[in-house]
């Protein structure tokens, strides 16, 4: 980005006559759309809300960006799952990443259904969660940390200071830990199977990732004496 | 400061947990299943008619043994394990074939069926349904689960001693004999099943005329070296037994076109490709699919997946069987296996929901029908992550 910007600046200096185009290029970097294009509304519920409240009239004639290829109005689409797929992705191999997460969901279903069929008790049976997306949401929720440790230098010594983190950061950490835990496995085990196991464990408030979160909280608790270094 | 933040945070978390349990299946009251139109009460394939088309029937546990050594596709077996039952959909092509099998005049030369259709449209499962029928109707079943396993990924090769230039697939042939034995266990004990001629394997080993058929099978299983020859001998014996009226025979071969595809993956020592007509097993099964015998029916499927990937160009029998295969099979009855009809599609989705494999959301059926183009295999894949 920076390189492009400097390049554009240099271009500007060289041919000052075509300064009309350059401000746009500078503002939006690599974006193909001019600044006045608005984001698309791809969810059906939100569209219906907009129609009801009449706000759709305002948007109707504004130039709109095309929807991205992972945005759809389908009910099977889930923003959090899409985000997770992006976190799993390495080297831009999105098809692979999506396949892995989908296979993990399939495995979750198979594991839970096996439990379901083995269980004889009707009440216990009804309590077994079979929806993979719900298990995923629950798992991410259960692994979110509240506090984190930051090194702060005071008087030449680095203290690990507990600080509260933003919801977005905690969600990121939770997902990152889940992926890391799934990667720590035997060579014979598949990533998607291990991910399924980790997700099920985390959804039940058990397992390595929840342990990791609790360990972090314990460490924060132990370092509470340093908390004032945040602001003094 | 931290405390107040934490309490606020916990509150927010509790709220979001509530949000995400909207789709939850747990802690919902179990409602009694209503009238299940997608499930057939008739589990006996002898009584299946066109009225049952689109419904699922259950293969009883004790009859699943005919598929013990293959016969069901692997992905279907995984599904069956997850669903805790083996259910097949009754579909038009298989019912048509079963009706034909009931009406055929068995004194006439054999009738041959060729099942064809696009990838993943359910040819193998159609064949499985017919096999179940044949098992119930007490046919002698000669079933090859997948010819591609011999021609595309054979276990071991050796050159034949009795035939010049031929190749034996010893382990595969012995495995098939075990499969044949397990499928026809109840019939092989019949004392009338006797061998019509002497088989001389070597100086010391012979199988004399008049000994039971199961002895021939056992010999092939125990002496791997002669397994392929045993299969050829067995084919001739089965034809002889059928002609003499001792048994009715059903020959079912999945991926039959692999017998006519020249580029196999069977290699000699110098990496020369062995054409399928130089494999001893081919001899046996081509002889079984001829029409020079009676009291039998032949059902084969032709499948794109049985040949190399660069030649997946068409699913039609003329292309897949090539000239020599088509002439070998001519005349045959073509049976087309189509993708799901709307009724079958709804029934399949209902079955998936009843087995708790997918969760309902609005316009689910329409969306999945469009995405999968009504193809059963595609549908199975799309539903896997829902």
């Amino acid at each position: 980005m920076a390189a492009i910007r400097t390049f554009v600046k240099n271009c500007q200096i060289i041919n000052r006559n075509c300064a009309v185009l350059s401000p746009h290029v500078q503002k939006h970097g690599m974006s193909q759309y001019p600044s006045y294009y608005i984001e698309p509304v791809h969810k059906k519920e939100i569209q219906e809300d907009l129609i009801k409240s009449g706000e759709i009239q305002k948007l109707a004639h504004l130039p709109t960006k095309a929807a991205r290829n992972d945005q759809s109005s389908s009910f099977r689409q889930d923003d959090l799952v899409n985000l997770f797929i992006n976190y799993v992705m390495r080297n831009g191999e999105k098809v692979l990443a999506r396949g892995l997460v989908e296979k993990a969901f399939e495995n979750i279903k198979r594991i839970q259904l096996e439990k379901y069929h083995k269980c004889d008790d009707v009440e216990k049976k009804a309590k077994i969660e079979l929806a993979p997306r719900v298990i995923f949401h629950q798992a991410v929720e259960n692994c979110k940390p509240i506090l984190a440790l930051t090194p702060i230098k005071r008087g030449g010594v680095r203290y690990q200071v507990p600080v509260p983190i933003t919801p977005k950061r905690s969600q990121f950490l939770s997902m990152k830990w889940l992926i890391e835990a799934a990667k720590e496995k035997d060579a014979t085990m598949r990533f998607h199977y291990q991910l399924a196991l980790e997700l099920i464990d985390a959804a039940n408030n058990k397992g390595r990732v929840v342990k990791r979160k609790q360990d972090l909280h314990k460490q924060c608790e132990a370092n509470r004496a340093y908390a004032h270094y945040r602001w003094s | 400061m931290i405390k107040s933040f934490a309490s606020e945070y916990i509150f927010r978390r509790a709220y979001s947990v509530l949000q995400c349990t909207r789709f939850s299946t747990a802690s919902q009251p179990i409602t009694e299943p209503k009238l299940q139109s997608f499930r057939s009460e008739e589990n006996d394939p002898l009584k299946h008619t066109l009225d049952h088309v689109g419904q699922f029937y259950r293969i009883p546990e004790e009859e699943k043994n005919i598929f013990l050594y293959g016969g069901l596709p692997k992905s279907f077996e995984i599904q069956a394990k997850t669903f805790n039952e083996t259910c097949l959909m009754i579909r038009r092509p298989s019912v048509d074939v079963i009706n034909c099998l009931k009406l055929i005049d068995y004194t006439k030369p054999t009738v041959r069926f060729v099942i064809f259709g696009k990838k993943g449209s359910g040819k193998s499962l159609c064949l499985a349904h017919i096999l179940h029928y044949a098992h119930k109707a007490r046919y002698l079943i000669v079933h090859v689960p997948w010819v591609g396993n011999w021609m595309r990924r054979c276990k071991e090769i050796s050159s034949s001693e009795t035939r010049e230039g031929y190749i034996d697939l010893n382990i595969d042939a012995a495995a098939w004999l075990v499969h044949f034995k397990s499928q026809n266990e109840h019939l092989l004990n019949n004392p009338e099943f006797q061998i019509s001629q002497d088989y001389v394997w070597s100086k010391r080993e012979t199988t004399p005329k008049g000994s039971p058929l199961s002895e021939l099978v056992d010999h092939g299983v125990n002496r791997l070296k002669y397994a392929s020859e045993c299969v050829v001998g067995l084919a001739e014996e089965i034809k002889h037994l059928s002609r003499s009226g001792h048994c009715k025979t059903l020959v079912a071969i999945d991926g039959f076109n692999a017998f006519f595809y020249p580029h196999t993956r069977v290699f000699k020592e110098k990496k020369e490709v062995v054409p399928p007509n130089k494999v001893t097993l081919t001899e046996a099964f081509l002889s079984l699919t001829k029409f020079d015998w009676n009291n039998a029916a032949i059902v084969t499927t032709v499948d794109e997946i049985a040949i190399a990937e660069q030649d997946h160009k068409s699913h039609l029998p003329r292309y897949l069987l090539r000239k020599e295969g088509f002439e070998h099979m001519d005349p045959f009855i073509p049976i087309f296996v189509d993708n799901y009809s709307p009724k079958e599609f709804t029934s399949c989705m209902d079955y998936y929901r009843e087995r708790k494999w997918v969760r309902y959301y609005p316009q689910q059926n329409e969306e999945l029908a469009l995405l999968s183009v009504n193809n059963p295999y595609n549908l199975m894949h799309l539903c896997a992550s829902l």
Side-chain angles (χ1 to χ4, degrees):
Chain A
M1 280 301 293
I4 290 166
R5 270 185 203 153
T6 44
F7 175 67
V8 170
K9 258 182 200 168
N10 290 341
C11 284
Q12 239 178 330
I13 295 161
I14 293 160
N15 15 324
R16 295 187 171 197
N17 295 340
C18 56
V20 190
L21 191 79
S22 48
H24 285 296
V25 178
Q26 263 184 314
K27 255 185 212 166
H28 301 293
M30 302 285 278
S31 175
Q32 296 188 22
Y33 292 101
S35 59
Y36 50 86
Y37 271 60
I38 57 165
E39 291 290 335
V41 181
H42 62 277
K43 288 264 177 199
K44 262 190 184 165
E45 307 97 276
I46 304 173
Q47 280 175 5
E48 274 161 18
D49 287 349
L50 284 177
I51 291 167
K52 261 182 204 164
S53 63
E55 273 182 59
I56 196 92
Q57 289 301 323
K58 284 183 204 163
L59 302 177
H61 297 293
L62 288 179
T64 313
K65 290 179 189 175
R68 273 185 268 120
N69 63 0
D70 59 350
Q71 291 175 334
S72 88
S73 62
S74 166
F75 282 91
R76 53 190 284 163
Q77 203 237 15
D78 192 321
D79 287 339
L80 199 68
V81 177
N82 269 350
L83 191 65
F84 190 71
I85 289 171
N86 286 347
Y87 288 161
V88 171
M89 177 168 72
R90 295 283 178 273
N91 305 329
E93 293 181 80
K94 185 137 176 169
V95 178
L96 176 67
R98 191 167 57 217
L100 286 172
V101 173
E102 276 175 5
K103 269 188 194 156
F105 279 13
E106 182 186 342
N107 284 327
I108 289 177
K109 268 159 71 176
R110 290 199 195 282
I111 294 167
Q112 294 295 89
L113 268 174
E114 198 182 339
K115 275 185 209 164
Y116 181 85
H117 288 307
K118 265 187 190 168
C119 189
D120 298 324
D121 193 4
V122 181
E123 274 180 27
K124 271 185 191 170
K125 222 175 188 177
K127 272 182 191 163
I128 295 174
E129 179 60 67
L130 298 171
R133 235 200 270 169
V134 177
I135 289 181
F136 170 77
H137 278 260
Q138 193 70 47
V140 171
E141 209 52 57
N142 286 347
C143 297
K144 279 182 183 175
I146 299 171
L147 295 165
L149 292 169
T150 353
I152 292 177
K153 213 167 181 180
R154 289 281 179 277
V157 185
R158 279 187 172 204
Y159 295 101
Q160 293 292 327
V161 181
V163 289
I165 50 178
T166 60
K168 201 178 172 201
R169 168 90 183 146
S170 87
Q171 181 183 300
F172 168 72
L173 281 179
S174 148
M175 289 191 183
K176 187 181 152 203
W177 289 348
L178 281 166
I179 294 166
E180 277 175 7
K183 281 187 177 174
E184 251 177 59
K185 58 179 178 58
D186 297 340
T188 50
M189 186 86 108
R190 284 307 187 97
F191 171 78
H192 47 80
Y193 192 75
Q194 185 69 32
L195 182 61
L197 292 179
E198 293 295 341
L199 285 173
I200 292 172
D201 274 354
N204 295 333
N205 245 332
K206 285 186 283 190
R208 285 189 286 173
V209 186
V210 174
K211 178 96 187 344
R212 187 170 177 180
K213 180 192 84 173
Q214 286 163 349
D215 284 350
L216 181 69
H217 284 174
K218 258 183 218 160
Q219 194 68 37
C220 291
E221 189 67 32
N223 288 7
R224 65 189 298 173
Y226 305 141
H228 65 279
Y229 284 132
R230 265 186 73 219
W231 55 83
S232 64
Chain B
M1 162 91 192
I2 291 172
K3 218 175 202 175
S4 69
F5 182 84
S7 67
E8 183 198 326
Y9 193 87
I10 286 163
F11 171 72
R12 203 186 296 150
R13 166 178 294 192
Y15 176 70
S16 59
V17 167
L18 271 180
Q19 280 284 308
C20 80
T21 47
R22 272 186 309 166
F23 305 104
S24 173
T25 57
S27 72
Q28 281 173 359
I30 298 178
T31 46
E32 278 298 307
K34 285 172 271 174
L35 182 72
Q36 297 173 329
S37 60
F38 59 87
R39 225 179 237 285
S40 167
E41 281 168 15
E42 198 58 73
N43 287 341
D44 187 354
L46 290 171
K47 290 169 194 161
H48 287 160
T49 59
L50 284 177
D51 301 338
H52 295 108
V53 166
Q55 292 177 329
F56 282 85
Y57 85 97
R58 189 184 186 145
I59 303 179
E61 280 302 312
E62 62 275 7
E63 283 161 31
K64 250 175 77 181
N65 288 341
I66 53 167
F67 302 118
L68 192 61
Y69 296 98
L72 295 174
K74 203 178 171 191
S75 51
F76 181 80
E77 271 185 352
I78 297 170
Q79 287 293 74
K81 188 171 167 261
T82 311
F83 292 166
N84 213 14
E85 63 176 12
T86 312
C87 276
L88 282 177
M89 190 193 268
I90 303 164
R91 297 187 64 196
R92 205 191 159 94
S94 51
V95 175
D96 279 348
V97 173
I98 287 172
N99 280 344
C100 283
L101 288 180
K102 281 177 191 165
L103 297 173
I104 285 174
D105 180 3
Y106 283 94
T107 55
K108 297 268 157 47
T110 53
V111 180
R112 290 170 296 179
F113 300 89
V114 173
I115 299 173
F116 69 103
K118 284 183 181 151
K119 284 181 202 169
S121 55
K123 298 176 289 294
S124 297
L125 289 180
C126 182
L127 195 68
H129 187 183
I130 295 164
L131 270 182
H132 188 203
Y133 162 78
H135 176 75
K136 277 290 211 182
R138 295 186 72 80
Y139 281 78
L140 181 77
I141 300 171
V142 183
H143 172 224
V144 183
W146 186 240
V147 181
N149 284 352
W150 297 342
M151 298 302 161
R152 316 274 332 145
R153 45 172 104 151
C154 57
K155 297 265 166 27
E156 186 199 62
I157 62 144
S158 63
S159 48
S160 174
E161 286 176 3
T162 48
R163 289 154 203 267
E164 190 67 25
Y166 274 74
I167 294 290
D168 282 352
L169 309 175
N170 292 336
I171 295 176
D172 294 290
W176 183 78
L177 285 171
V178 173
H179 177 64
F180 174 78
K181 206 179 157 190
S182 86
Q183 273 190 332
N184 299 301
E185 235 166 6
H186 57 295
L187 286 175
L188 283 178
N189 300 328
N190 191 339
E192 283 175 3
F193 280 28
Q194 285 174 357
I195 299 175
S196 62
Q197 54 168 314
D198 287 344
Y199 286 93
V200 181
W201 310 110
S202 66
K203 274 178 192 171
R204 291 189 201 115
E205 292 167 296
T206 50
T207 311
K209 183 181 172 181
S211 53
L213 191 67
S214 52
E215 201 162 292
L216 188 65
V217 179
D218 285 337
H219 187 264
V221 176
N222 295 331
R223 298 281 289 131
L224 273 186
K225 201 173 151 192
Y226 303 117
S228 290
E229 280 304 315
C230 270
V231 176
V232 177
L234 185 66
E236 291 309 317
E237 290 305 325
I238 288 167
K239 280 173 93 168
H240 182 80
L241 283 171
S242 295
R243 273 199 211 106
S244 58
H246 288 304
C247 61
K248 252 201 273 181
T249 312
L250 182 91
V251 181
I253 300 175
D254 203 352
F256 185 67
N257 55 318
F259 282 135
F260 300 103
Y261 183 70
H263 310 293
T264 59
R265 279 202 216 144
V266 184
F267 298 116
K268 282 187 202 160
E269 280 127 37
K270 287 178 185 168
K271 300 268 173 192
E272 296 160 75
V273 176
V274 182
N277 55 7
K278 286 288 171 196
V279 178
T280 329
L281 284 172
T282 315
E283 191 94 328
F285 291 101
L286 290 194
S287 143
L288 274 174
T289 47
K290 279 179 190 157
F291 59 87
D292 57 350
W293 53 312
N294 58 10
N295 213 359
I298 294 155
V299 185
T300 59
T301 69
V302 291
D303 202 324
E304 281 174 86
I305 319 169
I307 63 174
E309 203 166 349
Q310 67 264 25
D311 288 323
H312 291 192
K313 284 169 191 160
S314 164
H315 63 275
L316 298 171
R318 174 63 186 83
Y319 170 76
L320 288 171
L321 287 168
R322 291 167 174 259
K323 193 158 175 265
E324 61 264 44
F326 198 81
E327 278 167 6
H328 175 85
M329 289 303 280
D330 202 40
F332 62 82
I333 304 172
I335 304 278
F336 179 53
V337 182
D338 204 357
N339 287 339
Y340 281 150
S341 65
K343 187 189 165 198
E344 285 170 333
F345 186 89
T346 327
S347 148
C348 181
M349 287 310 296
D350 284 345
Y351 175 68
Y352 279 166
R353 275 183 220 117
E354 191 256 356
R355 288 281 103 193
K356 301 188 178 293
W357 184 237
V358 291
R359 261 133 296 280
Y360 180 77
Y361 57 80
Q363 282 142 28
Q364 186 179 44
N365 281 11
E366 291 86 343
E367 188 182 306
L368 289 176
L370 286 171
L371 284 174
S372 67
V373 212
N374 281 337
N375 184 290
Y377 185 75
N378 285 353
L379 179 67
M380 189 181 84
H381 262 268
L382 282 169
C383 289
S385 62
L386 288 181

